[in-house]
Amino acid sequence: MRFFIFLILGVFLFSGCNQKSDHRRAGSGKSELVDNKTLQKIKKEGKLTALTTYSGTSYFLYRGQPMGFEYELLKRFADHLGVELDIVVSQNIDSLLTELNFGEIDLVAHGITITSDRKEEVNFTDYLYLTHQVLVQRKPENWRTMNWSAVEKELIHDAIELIGDTVSVRQNSSYLQRLQNLSKEIGGEIHIDTLPGHLSTDRIIKMVVDGEIKYTVADNNIASINASYYHILDIDVPISFSQRIAWAVSPKSPELLVAINNWLKEMKNDVDYYVIYNKYFKNRRNFRQRIQSDFYSLTNNSISRYDEIIKNYADTIDWDWRLIASLIYQESGFDPEASSWAGAGGLMQIMPSIAEDLGVENRSDPEQSIRGGTKFLGQLWKNFEEVEDSVQRIKFTLAAYNCGYYHVLDAQKLAEMNSLDKYSWDDNVAEMILELSYPDNYNRPGIKYGYVRGIEPYTYVDQIFERYEHYRQFIDI
């Protein structure tokens, strides 16, 4: 299955454009109110459009790989429906539910607390998990050298102690609603400092850690995984009973709601669901590794330790360095010692037969591998001058890098024989590269270079572009 984040075809692939990537991001503009797509239409169009957020649990990039609780579940649900996944990233968490009214979004995939007010606006799925809200506060700076009774005196121990104090939360969050209700319940005012909607709960918790704000409120599972790394945090004061966390769909999409709920029921009967949940909300070791990593998109604008080398040589062929980074991940997972059964080696998996021609003496040397690999990409690119569309031309180049230039020529020839566009990879030559796996096609007169396992270049191109779109979402050019 292929997963795509919105892609505007054109010259954006080239670093020479000198403009910021034009992702489709929610919360940045108005649209006309339109009807939402039915489940039948989603399947017919072959695409599920899901709105989510950047956060340390929902969707992020780590060591070159897209990850997240919502992301992994969305992949599985799209696969269940047999459609592609189109991820739209919200610029404003406070507007998540509002976006459903404009018809472009099929599903809001974010940890949303089910409330009575929200149920009047959207339909919630069956709950994903239960949690409760807690106060997030900071221990004294020197808490490690203090005796515990002294630390305890500095902390809030009961929500009633918040009367007259200030807690910072997002404007349209369930946390704000809970604080308003709590003020009424305890008969005293809790002052609420409203924060901008683009701030994730993780980021707001970090503001408490850094002393930028005094208190915030978070779901216990999110607060707990953050506190496992930021030991200065105290999250022991509950401020709500158990609450249900779910995704949301438009009231105009009842069939989609049923499909999600049926799928969720199946998922919850499978161990994979709980493995995914524990991976993002329970595994403290993995969370600490991500937070400490230089290649975690929420803290650094980096993909790999080789970014600067990639940028340098990407400029020599005028390609977006993030696209080449995606290719390198596909080839070697950023392992300079990687080797294949066929003898290819290094970051860009260069074959011994062409290494010398490319001036590569040591394929395990990252700089030599990237220099040689990009040089080879440049050579292949020049072979497809007749392909006018720049995106299609890059796809031809990637396919040739994977399976060989002459096999791609055969696929173009076969496309021509079948009245397809030999200058278009998508839906044309890509389909013919698959057909070259069969004797009745690779033995046809005019097909010169024989059998190729077409599924490899076909998925190779798709996966590099899929990953590249994630890189564009997270990493500035």
Side-chain angles (χ1 to χ4, degrees):
M1 186 184 75
R2 293 172 286 173
F3 309 102
F4 290 89
I5 299 172
F6 185 76
L7 175 64
I8 297 177
L9 297 178
V11 295
F12 70 80
L13 285 164
F14 301 94
S15 57
C17 292
N18 289 326
Q19 65 184 54
K20 195 174 180 70
S21 301
D22 185 17
H23 305 306
R24 179 150 60 99
R25 299 191 178 192
S28 56
K30 295 289 184 182
S31 304
E32 289 187 17
L33 289 169
V34 295
D35 287 340
N36 293 78
K37 287 183 292 185
T38 62
L39 178 61
Q40 183 179 4
K41 189 173 183 181
I42 289 169
K43 290 183 175 181
K44 183 177 179 180
E45 293 181 354
K47 183 175 69 174
L48 174 73
T49 303
L51 181 66
T52 189
T53 65
Y54 291 146
S55 79
T57 51
S58 288
Y59 177 48
F60 57 90
L61 190 70
Y62 177 58
R63 293 190 175 275
Q65 184 177 2
M67 299 180 70
F69 178 70
E70 263 70 32
Y71 174 69
E72 291 204 30
L73 291 185
L74 282 171
K75 284 201 305 180
R76 284 164 170 75
F77 180 58
D79 188 39
H80 172 77
L81 293 181
V83 298
E84 296 169 359
L85 174 62
D86 177 13
I87 293 182
V88 181
V89 176
S90 175
Q91 292 285 70
N92 188 336
I93 299 174
D94 287 347
S95 69
L96 281 171
L97 299 183
T98 305
E99 291 296 321
L100 280 173
N101 294 327
F102 298 114
E104 295 181 359
I105 305 300
D106 302 318
L107 162 69
V108 174
H110 181 66
I112 306 170
T113 303
I114 300 174
T115 66
S116 298
D117 289 343
R118 288 173 172 174
K119 286 171 71 174
E120 294 179 3
E121 186 179 356
V122 300
N123 281 346
F124 285 103
T125 65
D126 290 343
Y127 71 85
L128 297 168
Y129 53 84
L130 298 175
T131 189
H132 63 277
Q133 296 179 17
V134 296
L135 180 71
V136 179
Q137 58 183 324
R138 190 174 184 270
K139 299 170 189 170
E141 190 70 43
N142 59 338
W143 69 277
R144 290 184 185 276
T145 62
M146 300 168 62
N147 62 58
W148 189 244
S149 62
V151 174
E152 291 278 277
K153 290 179 181 178
E154 300 293 324
L155 297 175
I156 294 285
H157 296 282
D158 190 294
I160 201 167
E161 297 174 47
L162 289 172
I163 293 175
D165 220 325
T166 301
V167 182
S168 302
V169 293
R170 286 190 306 274
Q171 174 67 49
N172 290 332
S173 65
S174 61
Y175 308 137
L176 182 139
Q177 294 176 351
R178 179 60 196 141
L179 287 171
Q180 290 174 332
N181 291 336
L182 183 61
S183 288
K184 296 175 183 177
E185 292 167 12
I186 62 179
E189 184 178 4
I190 300 171
H191 303 293
I192 301 174
D193 168 36
T194 55
L195 299 173
H198 70 271
L199 295 174
S200 69
T201 302
D202 298 284
R203 177 66 188 91
I204 296 172
I205 290 173
K206 184 61 163 57
M207 292 170 70
V208 175
V209 172
D210 294 338
E212 297 177 41
I213 57 176
K214 190 174 181 181
Y215 305 119
T216 192
V217 173
D219 290 338
N220 182 62
N221 56 343
I222 297 175
S224 179
I225 196 68
N226 276 274
S228 71
Y229 179 74
Y230 300 114
H231 300 297
I232 200 169
L233 292 177
D234 179 273
I235 59 167
D236 291 339
V237 180
I239 66 164
S240 79
F241 296 110
S242 290
Q243 295 178 315
R244 295 172 296 163
I245 305 299
W247 291 350
V249 300
S250 167
K252 297 179 181 179
S253 303
E255 293 175 348
L256 177 60
L257 180 65
V258 171
I260 296 171
N261 286 339
N262 289 339
W263 170 78
L264 272 176
K265 185 176 181 180
E266 292 179 10
M267 279 292 295
K268 287 184 176 181
N269 286 328
D270 189 275
V271 68
D272 283 357
Y273 182 86
Y274 302 96
V275 169
I276 295 169
Y277 179 86
N278 290 341
K279 180 177 178 180
Y280 296 104
F281 294 110
K282 296 287 189 180
N283 194 320
R284 298 182 174 191
R285 179 181 178 186
N286 284 353
F287 182 79
R288 288 195 297 271
Q289 288 176 340
R290 291 199 299 270
I291 291 290
Q292 293 169 343
S293 174
D294 291 334
F295 313 115
Y296 179 47
S297 62
L298 271 67
T299 55
N300 292 287
N301 193 50
S302 301
I303 298 174
S304 77
R305 68 180 72 249
Y306 309 110
D307 286 2
E308 293 308 313
I309 302 175
I310 298 170
K311 291 175 185 178
N312 183 35
Y313 287 106
D315 286 344
T316 66
I317 60 172
D318 205 24
W319 280 29
D320 186 333
W321 72 273
R322 298 167 298 183
L323 179 65
I324 296 177
S326 180
L327 181 153
I328 294 173
Y329 184 92
Q330 187 77 17
E331 291 285 356
S332 65
F334 299 118
D335 178 6
E337 301 296 330
S339 61
S340 76
W341 65 269
L347 287 175
M348 296 192 71
Q349 291 291 281
I350 298 172
M351 293 293 288
S353 57
I354 65 169
E356 185 175 351
D357 293 339
L358 296 171
V360 176
E361 296 179 358
N362 180 3
R363 290 178 296 155
S364 295
D365 179 87
E367 194 274 339
Q368 289 190 43
S369 182
I370 294 170
R371 170 170 50 80
T374 52
K375 181 179 179 180
F376 189 39
L377 286 170
Q379 292 172 356
L380 293 170
W381 165 265
K382 291 177 181 177
N383 290 334
F384 296 104
E385 289 181 347
E386 293 180 332
V387 179
E388 295 182 357
D389 183 279
S390 59
V391 175
Q392 297 303 307
R393 188 174 174 183
I394 283 180
K395 291 184 176 183
F396 277 106
T397 301
L398 294 176
Y401 191 92
N402 175 257
C403 70
Y405 171 62
Y406 293 108
H407 286 306
V408 177
L409 282 185
D410 271 352
Q412 286 185 291
K413 183 65 176 178
L414 191 60
E416 195 172 25
M417 291 176 178
N418 286 278
S419 301
L420 297 174
D421 184 356
K422 71 175 185 178
Y423 299 123
S424 174
W425 176 261
D426 293 332
D427 301 319
N428 290 273
V429 178
E431 301 303 319
M432 294 301 99
I433 203 83
L434 292 172
E435 294 299 318
L436 286 175
S437 299
Y438 305 109
D440 55 341
N441 288 312
Y442 65 71
N443 286 327
R444 289 180 67 170
I447 303 301
K448 299 180 180 180
Y449 301 100
Y451 168 84
V452 61
R453 191 169 184 269
I455 192 64
E456 291 187 3
Y458 183 92
T459 56
Y460 181 84
V461 173
D462 272 1
Q463 289 174 2
I464 287 174
F465 264 77
E466 174 202 330
R467 188 179 305 104
Y468 169 59
E469 282 307 296
H470 290 295
Y471 289 1
R472 290 182 66 235
Q473 286 276 21
F474 291 111
I475 307 297
D476 292 338
I477 194 166

